[in-house]
Amino acid sequence: MANELNQLLFRIRDGLATTVEVQRAHTLVMIDERLPVGLRQAIDFREDAVGDAVGLLAVLGADSLFGEVLREGIAADLAEVDEHTLEASNRDELLLEEVWPLAEAFVAAVRQEAGTIEMAAAVLDVLGLESPQLPVAEAVYDEAGVVEIAVDWHVDIEQAWVSAMVDGELPPEARHAAIRKLREDPAAGAEMTVFATLGSDLRAAVQDEAGETPYLWSGVAEGIGVDAEAVAGWDGALFAAAVRAQAGEIQLADEVMAQVVTPLPSMVEEPPPLPQPANSRRWGGLLMALAAAAVLMVALPTTWNQNTTGTAAPVAQASAQFASAGEIVVEALEHGDNSTVHQIMGDQGAVILWIDEGEAQ
Amino acid sequence: MIDEDKELSREEDMAMVMAVLAGDSTAYRGLVEKYQNRVYSLTYGVVRNREDARELSQDAFVKAFNNLKTFRLEASFYTWLYRIAMNLSIDFIRKRKRRKTSPGFEEDIASRDSNGSISDVHNIASPSKNLERKQLYQKIMDSLEKLPDDQKQVILLRELEGLSYREISDVMGIPEGTVMSRLFYARKKMQSLLADERDLS
């Protein structure tokens, strides 16, 4: 029979018991000798069946809700509890510490379990925990505090709790009852899911329709009379003034130019000196004269006339043929990867700039 | 945003506000660039027209700048900014309703459709799924538009901006309990409107 009551109490606690089962549990409680008579009479599972079941399971030591120490203490001391003492007409005279020496342990256990305790007013009343003189009562109301507030819940909060729970904004005192309601009402859970989904869809819908955010600063800058391109804290005029202050009056032009404008090394290679004709001009002239004299002696006078310009035709041809600079055409240039070659046509002909960029970085 | 990040963000805002109040107006750019996305999304959610939302967002920033001297430094800059943006947006749609025209929205949507320039925020491989999603978004936005202004405000501040009830309470100047109930009724109404849409379709 004890086992059956325990099982029924667990079902009531978890919100699974039928009306018939609750009535059966009530009957069993009334005849269970493990419980003080006063307690058996006080519990009726009407106001708060879940709370009653939770309290009874703790008192019976069937649930670890109150912790090992308290359970053992309750079990050890229950036998010493006098029903007459519990039913004292003047509750103000009833000091829990006398009846139940482990009140302090009870308080400690309640504080530990504060988030999960739901205790019916009837249980608190019989145990004398509502007495303001008892520190246990204050501890219970401070830490658990569910029962009184649940009774006084405002209707609006009652209706909006699902929405607030989705947002994680439910007041602490309402959280326990909200969890209990979730157990009782699966539709509430479904509604929470709908609300949460609606939120994410709404965000996506707005972002999709709104498109990319336009860049607002230029319009705002115009509206507040600020240069949109100005950089915060960077004032060109201030900078110039700061440089002048630091630099002082310095004549830089000539000295700077001298240092900075380093003449570029000539990139134009001096053309190799033209090979001298095998015969020099000096000797060439003498030979020419001798040749001319020979020709004059044996050739027709017209031949001489053709040379009246006075230009001495070279007697000996140089071994190389030379073209003028303007006729040079660079057909191919080979250069390494770390050099740059530029060809510029100038008055004197082609100018080839070969810039060595040094080793590759 | 966790509390630590919020506090850091708040400190950044204060530094920029102080710089502006000290005379460096260019420092305001940091605040504009930080919040332009959120302010634009919020105003768009109310007015549902891109050009109007852009102008209202700019107006909100300009107004905030001009009234920066009245801003209480211990308060949150962004909730103060959102209040300005929200008030401007609500005033705008009220004036628009009085004119009984809403050309911007229809044109905007129509032009997008006719141009086929539908922004695809989500990488949807299937065209039919993309279309379904677009239709859902359209229904959601239509439902949002049918909400009373106060419910529209509160649901946008909560869902778009992720503001807490307390912050919404600061923005709208209403008690937190009122925020909770308005949000509940806004969601219920949208749920109901969307269910009606489903039934009709």
Side-chain angles (χ1 to χ4, degrees):
Chain A
M1 198 177 294
N3 197 31
E4 184 189 358
L5 175 59
N6 288 1
Q7 287 177 356
L8 287 171
L9 290 175
F10 277 117
R11 285 181 61 78
I12 294 169
R13 183 200 70 177
D14 296 337
L16 302 173
T18 62
T19 310
V20 171
E21 286 175 324
V22 173
Q23 286 172 350
R24 174 68 179 160
H26 185 203
T27 305
L28 291 174
V29 163
M30 289 176 69
I31 60 174
D32 195 320
E33 292 178 359
R34 295 179 296 168
L35 299 168
V37 172
L39 194 61
R40 292 184 234 166
Q41 291 172 350
I43 299 294
D44 59 4
F45 296 100
R46 279 188 196 164
E47 281 184 58
D48 185 354
V50 173
D52 289 348
V54 165
L56 285 171
L57 284 168
V59 170
L60 293 170
D63 195 350
S64 62
L65 198 64
F66 286 91
E68 283 290 333
V69 172
L70 186 60
R71 191 168 66 247
E72 287 172 6
I74 292 170
D77 288 327
L78 266 179
E80 297 179 14
V81 173
D82 183 29
E83 66 178 64
H84 175 72
T85 307
L86 271 178
E87 291 171 355
S89 56
N90 188 352
R91 291 198 183 279
D92 288 339
E93 294 174 357
L94 179 65
L95 296 176
L96 191 62
E97 288 81 2
E98 289 182 1
V99 175
W100 205 333
L102 288 175
E104 190 177 333
F106 177 73
V107 171
V110 166
R111 286 203 176 107
Q112 277 185 357
E113 297 284 346
T116 61
I117 292 176
E118 293 177 349
M119 193 172 287
V123 173
L124 291 173
D125 183 53
V126 170
L127 292 176
L129 295 181
E130 64 178 345
S131 170
Q133 296 172 5
L134 297 173
V136 173
E138 289 177 10
V140 169
Y141 284 130
D142 284 345
E143 297 289 343
V146 173
V147 174
E148 299 300 324
I149 293 172
V151 169
D152 293 337
W153 238 4
H154 196 272
V155 173
D156 284 343
I157 296 176
E158 181 88 11
Q159 291 175 345
W161 72 271
V162 171
S163 178
M165 203 157 180
V166 169
D167 298 325
E169 296 269 3
L170 207 61
E173 59 273 14
R175 220 167 279 151
H176 302 298
I179 292 169
R180 194 172 59 207
K181 281 179 92 62
L182 268 179
R183 284 194 206 139
E184 294 167 359
D185 183 9
E191 192 167 52
M192 280 178 65
T193 305
V194 169
F195 285 169
T197 309
L198 178 66
S200 62
D201 284 341
L202 177 60
R203 279 190 292 280
V206 171
Q207 285 165 9
D208 182 63
E209 200 173 272
E212 199 173 314
T213 302
Y215 186 65
L216 299 180
W217 171 242
S218 51
V220 174
E222 190 181 338
I224 64 177
V226 168
D227 178 5
E229 299 303 319
V231 178
W234 185 266
D235 186 332
L238 285 176
F239 175 69
V243 169
R244 287 194 202 99
Q246 292 289 332
E249 293 291 329
I250 296 176
Q251 296 292 337
L252 296 176
D254 297 339
E255 286 76 10
V256 169
M257 292 305 289
Q259 294 297 323
V260 171
V261 184
T262 306
L264 289 172
S266 173
M267 295 297 177
V268 179
E269 290 185 8
E270 289 291 333
L274 291 172
Q276 293 295 322
N279 52 324
S280 67
R281 283 184 185 278
R282 181 156 54 91
W283 290 106
L286 180 60
L287 289 171
M288 281 289 296
L290 290 172
V295 168
L296 282 170
M297 290 172 70
V298 299
L300 293 172
T302 56
T303 303
W304 176 253
N305 287 335
Q306 288 176 358
N307 286 328
T308 52
T309 57
T311 303
V315 174
Q317 293 290 329
S319 60
Q321 290 188 351
F322 302 97
S324 67
E327 294 173 354
I328 293 174
V329 174
V330 178
E331 293 183 346
L333 275 174
E334 291 182 3
H335 57 89
D337 291 337
N338 56 347
S339 58
T340 307
V341 179
H342 299 277
Q343 179 184 351
I344 306 167
M345 296 307 296
D347 294 336
Q348 302 300 320
V351 176
I352 299 172
L353 297 178
W354 207 289
I355 301 172
D356 185 357
E357 295 172 350
E359 292 184 4
Q361 296 293 326
Chain B
M1 192 188 284
I2 60 176
D3 289 343
E4 207 173 293
D5 288 341
K6 267 190 175 174
E7 187 54 36
L8 192 62
S9 178
R10 190 179 167 282
E11 285 174 9
E12 285 173 359
D13 293 349
M14 284 306 108
M16 288 189 273
V17 167
M18 296 294 290
V20 174
L21 289 174
D24 184 8
S25 299
T26 55
Y28 195 61
R29 181 175 186 168
L31 288 165
V32 173
E33 290 180 347
K34 183 174 179 180
Y35 290 112
Q36 62 182 2
N37 189 37
R38 296 168 75 171
V39 169
Y40 174 72
S41 297
L42 193 65
T43 53
Y44 184 88
V46 176
V47 303
R48 289 191 76 191
N49 178 280
R50 292 182 185 179
E51 189 54 34
D52 292 337
R54 187 184 66 81
E55 284 189 21
L56 285 166
S57 301
Q58 284 180 356
D59 291 345
F61 280 110
V62 172
K63 190 168 182 181
F65 177 88
N66 291 334
N67 290 283
L68 208 55
K69 289 189 180 112
T70 65
F71 170 66
R72 290 179 298 114
L73 292 173
E74 65 274 12
S76 160
F77 176 79
Y78 73 84
T79 54
W80 183 69
L81 178 64
Y82 290 165
R83 174 185 280 202
I84 294 173
M86 191 57 86
N87 288 342
L88 285 173
S89 304
I90 295 294
D91 286 344
F92 178 84
I93 59 171
R94 282 176 184 160
K95 285 177 190 165
R96 193 169 69 186
K97 280 178 188 170
R98 282 199 289 273
R99 289 198 300 267
K100 295 196 189 304
T101 57
S102 180
F105 164 62
E106 285 82 10
E107 284 173 4
D108 186 48
I109 297 295
S111 66
R112 287 198 302 127
D113 287 340
S114 63
N115 292 337
S117 57
I118 298 174
S119 65
D120 188 9
V121 177
H122 306 280
N123 186 12
I124 304 295
S126 162
S128 61
K129 278 198 176 168
N130 192 25
L131 185 62
E132 271 179 35
R133 194 178 297 274
K134 288 292 178 185
Q135 288 171 343
L136 171 65
Y137 291 168
Q138 181 78 54
K139 286 173 190 166
I140 288 172
M141 295 303 290
D142 289 344
S143 303
L144 178 70
E145 201 161 11
K146 289 174 185 166
L147 292 180
D149 291 344
D150 55 357
Q151 289 181 14
K152 190 188 298 184
Q153 284 185 65
V154 78
I155 198 168
L156 284 173
L157 287 170
R158 174 65 206 172
E159 298 297 358
L160 280 189
E161 300 302 323
L163 299 190
S164 67
Y165 285 15
R166 186 171 191 175
E167 287 166 336
I168 296 172
S169 163
D170 287 341
V171 172
M172 297 181 67
I174 56 176
E176 285 183 53
T178 309
V179 172
M180 180 160 59
S181 62
R182 277 192 196 170
L183 200 48
F184 169 70
Y185 289 119
R187 284 166 167 157
K188 287 293 282 184
K189 177 131 188 179
M190 282 194 70
Q191 184 187 8
S192 166
L193 289 168
L194 287 168
D196 290 344
E197 284 276 334
R198 269 199 302 275
D199 292 341
L200 286 172
S201 61

